[in-house]
Amino acid sequence: MELKQVSKSTWAVVDGSTFGNVGCIRIPNHIVVIDTGMTPGIAKEFHTRIQEDVGTPITEVILTHYHSDHVFGAQEFQQYPLIASIKMAELYPDLLEERWSPQSIEAMRKAYAETEPEFSQQLENLQIITPVNTFETSLILGENEEIQVTQTGGHTVGHSTVYFVPERILFAGDLIFCQQYPYAGDPTNNPQTWIQALEEILEMDIDTIVPGHGPLCDKAEIRLHLAYFRALEHWICSKIKLGAPLSEVQKDKETGPSPPYQLKAERRFEATIQRWYNFYSEIIH
Ligand SMILES: [Zn+2]
């Protein structure tokens, strides 16, 4: 795991070792951590890296969204204030009863026992920590308002980004999958607010983007995502207006707009088609 210095006061792990990328920002009287990685073991290593390379004490831990590869490391950071948007935190009671119930986690542990033994073992003592420090639409940290946390939605309901104003760094969470096909198939995914959030980011003063997945990037990556999302939205909506059922759209997916990246595309591509079809069907009919 490499905790890479991104700018004078920001660091990030973007080498894939944490699954979802993680990072931190240091300003006077604050060390703010962004996301926690896929497992408590990964989070422990990340925590140690911060203590050795950035300093102490950590003052806030911001969770960009509820996906396991960003929040399953939270137990390692539970002594600090865990912060999330209200809309994200509101998902937890249902998640803990269904997708993250002890039975579901046990089933997940068994399913990964052979292919990902290390990950599977980590699930044995997993505690899921609900973020109790919440904000509605935005949160400002720092005496000079250096850190702006904004609830954008899009990728999931309650998704947030973290902008470090003085050094023009944006921690974009999963609004950006750099050099890989984005996952837009979450049941709470909202393509319209995702597109809107990307349009707003284009207007911001940003030098470097820490994406939720993949290497560091800049606004060129935003433009690539936007062009593809707009084309996909247009294509799916025109199919729906012609009365095409989901099965036909899925079958024809290769005739739609070309994804910007092929890497690990297939499953995410299929999930995206399905979610966007359902989302726009409700709006159009
Ligand atoms: Zn995600």
Side-chain angles (χ1 to χ4, degrees):
M1 180 184 302
E2 184 200 359
L3 182 62
K4 189 190 184 88
Q5 189 155 11
V6 178
S7 64
K8 189 167 158 267
S9 318
T10 68
W11 289 259
V13 179
V14 295
D15 59 10
S17 61
T18 49
F19 295 81
N21 289 341
V22 296
C24 67
I25 305 170
R26 185 177 64 201
I27 55 173
N29 307 315
H30 293 264
I31 292 177
V32 179
V33 172
I34 299 134
D35 282 341
T36 64
M38 183 69 171
T39 68
I42 287 168
K44 194 176 174 60
E45 195 179 341
F46 172 45
H47 195 181
T48 305
R49 290 264 80 76
I50 297 170
Q51 287 166 328
E52 287 176 3
D53 302 350
V54 180
T56 56
I58 290 168
T59 48
E60 289 91 6
V61 178
I62 295 162
L63 302 172
T64 60
H65 67 292
Y66 80 95
H67 284 157
S68 52
D69 52 337
H70 298 259
V71 304
F72 272 11
Q75 77 189 65
E76 171 67 22
F77 292 96
Q78 61 182 304
Q79 69 265 44
Y80 312 117
L82 286 169
I83 300 173
S85 74
I86 291 179
K87 282 186 176 166
M88 170 178 160
E90 280 174 350
L91 297 170
Y92 272 61
D94 281 351
L95 287 166
L96 287 164
E97 275 197 15
E98 293 160 22
R99 218 194 298 182
W100 295 345
S101 70
Q103 298 89 318
S104 304
I105 297 288
E106 178 58 15
M108 204 190 294
R109 190 188 69 74
K110 282 186 182 151
Y112 284 100
E114 283 194 9
T115 51
E116 305 260 3
E118 228 172 285
F119 170 61
S120 172
Q121 204 191 356
Q122 287 279 320
L123 293 176
E124 247 170 72
N125 300 311
L126 179 72
Q127 295 170 44
I128 292 169
I129 313 292
T130 302
V132 291
N133 301 274
T134 55
F135 64 93
E136 204 155 328
T137 53
S138 65
L139 171 77
I140 308 286
L141 297 171
E143 267 168 44
N144 300 306
E145 306 190 340
E146 297 99 312
I147 298 175
Q148 301 178 351
V149 187
T150 306
Q151 195 250 132
T152 61
H155 173 71
T156 60
V157 70
H159 180 284
S160 300
T161 58
V162 182
Y163 180 39
F164 184 47
V165 184
E167 296 173 19
R168 299 180 297 280
I169 307 290
L170 180 76
F171 291 84
D174 278 6
L175 294 188
I176 292 293
F177 284 67
C178 183
Q179 296 174 13
Q180 52 187 283
Y181 192 86
Y183 175 61
D186 187 272
T188 71
N189 178 268
N190 183 326
Q192 288 180 328
T193 50
W194 195 337
I195 288 171
Q196 190 189 338
L198 293 176
E199 284 167 348
E200 285 167 11
I201 292 168
L202 270 189
E203 301 299 315
M204 291 163 66
D205 190 11
I206 293 167
D207 285 346
T208 304
I209 294 169
V210 180
H213 295 266
L216 300 177
C217 56
D218 57 24
K219 284 187 184 172
E221 197 64 41
I222 304 268
R223 291 189 191 96
L224 216 52
H225 275 57
L226 258 181
Y228 175 62
F229 283 171
R230 284 182 183 134
L232 188 67
E233 176 187 53
H234 179 77
W235 182 73
I236 288 183
C237 287
S238 53
K239 289 275 187 193
I240 293 168
K241 283 175 190 156
L242 289 170
L246 173 61
S247 57
E248 187 188 315
V249 179
Q250 283 170 322
K251 198 158 61 69
D252 285 356
K253 67 184 193 301
E254 302 305 332
T255 66
S258 296
Y261 302 113
Q262 294 304 327
L263 183 68
K264 286 192 242 166
E266 206 51 35
R267 213 173 49 86
R268 289 180 184 172
F269 186 25
E270 277 168 12
T272 300
I273 300 277
Q274 183 172 352
R275 171 63 191 160
W276 287 31
Y277 181 91
N278 292 335
F279 179 87
Y280 284 108
S281 288
E282 277 189 25
I283 293 175
I284 289 169
H285 296 305

